[in-house]
Amino acid sequence: MTAGSAVPVPATHLDTARDAEAATRKANEAMAARLPFADQRDFEAARRGLIAEVPDGVVQTPNGTVLWNLNEYAFIDGEPAPATVNPSLWRMARLNLGNGLFKVTERVYQLRGFDISNMTVLEGDDGLILIDPLTTAEVARAALALYFAHRPKRAVVAVIYTHSHVDHYGGVRGVIEEAEVKAGRVEVIAPAGFMEAISGENVLAGLPMMRRAQFQFGHLLPRGPRGQVDAGLGKAIARGTPGLIAPTRTIEHAVEEHTIAGLRIVFQLAPETEAPAEMHMFYPDLGVLNMAENACPLLHNFIPLRGAVARDPRIWAKYIADAIEMYAPHADVLIGQHHWPTWGRDAILDHLEAQRDLYKHIHDQTLRLMNRGWRPAEIAEAIDLPAGLAERWSARGYYGTVNHNVKAVYQRYLSWYDGNPCNLHPLPPAPAARKLVEYMGGAAAVIARAREDFARGEFRWVAQVMKEVVYAEPHNREARALCADALEQMGYQAESATWRNAFLYGAQELRHDPVRMPPRALPADTLAGLSTDIFFDMLAIRLDPAKAAGRTMVLNWHFTDRAEQLALTLRHGTLTHRLGSSARNATASITTTRATLDAIILGRLTPADALASGALRVEGEAGQAAALLAMLDPPSPMMFDILTPGEGRP
């Protein structure tokens, strides 16, 4: 088995999804009996104000490539839930099918169901303000076209990014032209730290996040009662072309008020909440409070399964509390950039107070048990929501869960280490698995006992122990099949859409080869938007120390298009740099533009061609720039082993 490949598995029942086992049916029936399914208020809110649905439920390119297709979810056709879907998740999957152009209130419209997120349209005095232009240009363009089919076609004068996740900015080039921005006719507004946050999440750790996102969102799963039914925040992430236009204005102060297109907008920064850079908005002339993604009608993530820096639920709750104090008494409508609005001041206050208490409760109770010496898994198993929150639909864990949010709180305060020295320096997974299976009497004995536990419905334990057998013997067909079967039942029981997707996609990868994805270059827009400081951090994490062994160089860089200089040092197999500096002991000095260097990194231009054209000029040792670039890892395929051990690892 090689890195980026999968173990071939014989085509047996591994290739087919199983039905719900008796234990799964019982668990889902218990869930159906426990929650207030007769409450239909969310369905009424999700339909309110509908003007027109997504045309044919499809967005496609001019050549017919389908980028978004709600018809894939036609199987979600009412109640009751099939036995293979948690009934609470089934309810959310039905709600998230609401789609089209909606009137929220006078001068406020939303486009929902074109993507996992919403695009909000504010009708200003002299043009439109678009908030969060979805993930890709194609779906954003289609959404705006639906708006224009039913509302006057007016110029877009501003785009606002509420936060630094791609589903809230990636479609910007579908709704405005960069030339309009450069000419000053369109403003792009974002919270402080927006570009830095994009760099951290999408650049430095972007590849493993994208790979893990395959599990979180399940976009490679078939749609159906035994496959992907939802993503919690919406149906799925739209396909197409993501892009970025850098902000022309950033909101820097805790609270700022600006008048844009004749509308007053009060911005409230809320950093380190759902995103590193995020902000709420209140539109006092319209009586509308926009909480971005910080008060969705569900329990959100403190760390998403794709990975991120642990979020701070204590601060998150405080920013919600601040919004309650400053804006809720004056708000008639509450909107977010996912899901449906809430109308009426009493309902708004009730929802926001519950969201505040939801995040604070998980934080506080985790800390309470941490201070009693409990370990992460023990705390996660013990904590549940109190009465008043537990039965609320808007506090259910469709995206985050109490269980993994507890572990995120623990990680934020005490790190990955649980304090037990036995866990401080364990063997890596594969050699540990081989030892464990040997101690347990061999794979056949472990599988035999696990089959008995599977029949008793102990799916968590079966998956846990079969993981060890698969890591010990990646070619063991029976172990892979039984592990897949256990994960599948866990997926069928999961209330969280992201847990369901992860379990079912794990089962799919055990039964089939992982989908091979080509190397994925960073989008040119994102690369161009990087600060030069972050750009060289990106180069540093690609340096292969074996290729750099014994090499030392000091390079001065001068970027004429940005009026920037930088001193780069290679020593001890490590790249370091100082922006704004020039080294006296430089072995070479390079004058170029960031645009030229971007083109070289994207593979659109070779160093030799750049030198020949004069786009890159070197004083000193002429081969130094090319030598440095040759030490960098090539772009990696977006596929590495997760459910099986990978080649070249301990």
Side-chain angles (χ1 to χ4, degrees):
M1 170 176 171
T2 59
S5 64
V7 176
V9 180
T12 64
H13 85 282
L14 257 68
D15 298 317
T16 59
R18 295 168 62 111
D19 201 355
E21 296 287 328
T24 294
R25 293 174 183 272
K26 184 177 179 180
N28 285 342
E29 288 166 2
M31 175 68 78
R34 191 165 73 244
L35 292 172
F37 283 88
D39 183 351
Q40 295 292 300
R41 286 175 294 177
D42 285 341
F43 287 93
E44 295 165 6
R47 289 190 295 266
R48 180 170 171 173
L50 176 64
I51 295 172
E53 293 188 331
V54 175
D56 301 319
V58 173
V59 176
Q60 57 188 354
T61 64
N63 66 6
T65 300
V66 175
L67 302 176
W68 182 252
N69 186 3
L70 290 171
N71 300 308
E72 295 177 330
Y73 296 99
F75 66 91
I76 303 175
D77 56 0
E79 298 180 281
T84 54
V85 184
N86 180 291
S88 178
L89 176 57
W90 184 256
R91 176 185 178 277
M92 179 58 95
R94 292 173 59 211
L95 283 163
N96 279 339
L97 274 175
N99 68 89
L101 172 65
F102 295 80
K103 180 177 181 178
V104 176
T105 190
E106 290 301 320
R107 304 176 75 173
V108 183
Y109 293 79
Q110 284 193 316
L111 293 141
R112 305 184 209 134
F114 281 87
D115 194 355
I116 196 169
S117 53
N118 302 336
M119 181 163 68
T120 300
V121 182
L122 305 183
E123 296 182 340
D125 293 345
D126 53 2
L128 303 179
I129 303 166
L130 304 184
I131 301 166
D132 290 356
L134 309 180
T135 305
T136 65
E138 294 87 348
V139 293
R141 187 178 298 115
L144 190 57
L146 180 62
Y147 170 84
F148 284 142
H150 298 273
R151 299 294 298 161
K153 191 167 185 178
R154 303 169 67 203
V156 175
V157 297
V159 171
I160 300 174
Y161 305 142
T162 62
H163 62 286
S164 52
H165 292 154
V166 68
D167 53 320
H168 297 266
Y169 67 81
V172 65
R173 290 183 181 272
V175 295
I176 59 172
E177 298 290 336
E178 189 166 20
E180 296 288 295
V181 176
K182 291 180 176 179
R185 289 187 287 272
V186 180
E187 194 169 19
V188 179
I189 303 168
F194 177 83
M195 293 301 296
E196 293 80 1
I198 287 176
S199 301
E201 291 209 340
N202 296 324
V203 178
L204 301 182
L207 184 65
M209 283 188 183
M210 285 189 289
R211 170 66 168 129
R212 289 162 58 120
Q214 293 175 343
F215 290 78
Q216 177 173 331
F217 295 105
H219 55 268
L220 296 176
L221 284 169
R223 308 298 191 250
R226 298 185 185 184
Q228 200 261 13
V229 300
D230 204 65
L233 292 177
K235 299 315 297 177
I237 297 176
R239 298 170 59 204
T241 310
L244 173 67
I245 296 177
T248 58
R249 178 192 294 185
T250 57
I251 303 303
E252 298 291 340
H253 300 290
V255 177
E256 292 185 22
E257 181 173 333
H258 297 274
T259 298
I260 302 167
L263 290 178
R264 289 187 297 148
I265 300 180
V266 182
F267 296 91
Q268 178 203 2
L269 289 180
E272 304 304 326
T273 52
E274 184 273 335
E278 187 145 356
M279 62 186 179
H280 311 148
M281 285 172 281
F282 180 56
Y283 317 124
D285 300 327
L286 308 174
V288 176
L289 173 59
N290 186 339
M291 290 295 288
E293 199 172 319
N294 276 339
C296 298
L298 47 65
L299 172 58
H300 214 292
N301 283 303
F302 299 172
I303 292 182
L305 303 189
R306 64 172 171 82
V309 174
R311 298 161 182 170
D312 189 345
R314 182 183 65 87
I315 294 296
W316 196 330
K318 285 184 180 296
Y319 282 122
I320 294 175
D322 290 344
I324 291 172
E325 176 70 20
M326 293 188 291
Y327 312 122
H330 314 290
D332 299 309
V333 187
L334 171 68
I335 63 173
Q337 295 306 124
H338 294 274
H339 305 111
W340 52 90
T342 299
W343 285 268
R345 291 184 184 178
D346 290 344
I348 291 169
L349 182 61
D350 179 64
H351 175 72
L352 290 177
E353 287 180 339
Q355 286 282 300
R356 175 199 64 197
D357 297 344
L358 174 64
Y359 298 122
K360 190 66 161 44
H361 180 84
I362 296 172
H363 171 273
D364 291 354
Q365 293 308 306
T366 302
L367 267 292
R368 184 176 72 88
L369 295 180
M370 282 168 52
N371 280 295
R372 293 170 58 183
W374 289 38
R375 300 170 183 86
E378 295 166 344
I379 303 172
E381 203 73 11
I383 288 183
D384 204 350
L385 298 179
L389 288 179
E391 68 277 13
R392 291 181 70 104
W393 291 117
S394 61
R396 303 302 300 180
Y398 302 115
Y399 196 56
T401 67
V402 173
N403 188 288
H404 79 252
N405 281 348
V406 162
K407 295 167 185 173
V409 174
Y410 191 102
Q411 176 177 315
R412 182 175 180 87
Y413 282 93
L414 293 181
S415 84
W416 58 271
Y417 177 46
D418 67 0
N420 185 335
C422 296
N423 297 323
L424 186 57
H425 192 47
L427 289 176
R434 290 191 290 269
K435 283 284 189 183
L436 282 169
V437 171
E438 179 186 353
Y439 276 34
M440 294 165 72
V446 179
I447 292 169
R449 296 192 66 175
R451 289 194 188 284
E452 296 173 2
D453 286 336
F454 185 92
R456 287 189 285 267
E458 297 181 24
F459 307 125
R460 289 172 67 186
W461 172 245
V462 172
Q464 189 173 342
V465 75
M466 282 301 97
K467 178 202 73 172
E468 303 298 340
V469 180
V470 170
Y471 262 70
E473 300 181 9
H475 296 273
N476 190 312
R477 180 182 61 84
E478 288 184 272
R480 290 168 65 99
L482 187 53
C483 189
D485 291 346
L487 288 174
E488 189 168 64
Q489 297 301 313
M490 293 167 70
Y492 293 166
Q493 292 184 28
E495 182 179 28
S496 165
T498 59
W499 277 33
R500 176 186 173 91
N501 293 336
F503 290 139
L504 296 186
Y505 190 62
Q508 180 169 299
E509 285 210 349
L510 285 166
R511 290 169 173 158
H512 304 279
D513 288 350
V515 175
R516 302 178 191 281
M517 307 290 282
R520 184 170 179 176
L522 195 67
D525 284 349
T526 303
L527 190 63
L530 296 183
S531 69
T532 300
D533 192 37
I534 292 291
F535 182 96
F536 277 87
D537 282 338
M538 178 195 70
L539 295 188
I541 66 170
R542 289 176 53 187
L543 182 72
D544 183 341
K547 294 178 182 176
R551 300 291 299 272
T552 298
M553 63 174 69
V554 179
L555 304 179
N556 282 335
W557 294 80
H558 178 212
F559 297 104
T560 57
D561 54 343
R562 300 196 180 197
E564 292 177 331
Q565 58 183 11
L566 177 143
L568 179 70
T569 300
L570 170 63
R571 186 174 287 113
H572 303 131
T574 304
L575 281 175
T576 59
H577 66 269
R578 287 185 58 79
L579 189 63
S581 294
S582 181
R584 294 180 180 179
N585 61 335
T587 50
S589 294
I590 302 165
T591 300
T592 186
T593 63
R594 259 294 304 279
T596 298
L597 188 54
D598 288 356
I600 292 172
I601 293 299
L602 290 169
R604 299 174 178 176
L605 181 67
T606 67
D609 288 343
L611 283 165
S613 68
L616 187 149
R617 303 190 304 277
V618 179
E619 296 179 12
E621 299 182 27
Q624 294 262 292
L628 174 65
L629 294 173
M631 299 176 197
L632 305 182
D633 283 338
S636 300
M638 199 180 73
M639 207 298 289
F640 48 79
D641 300 286
I642 289 179
L643 286 134
T644 55
E647 184 177 307
R649 304 184 202 172

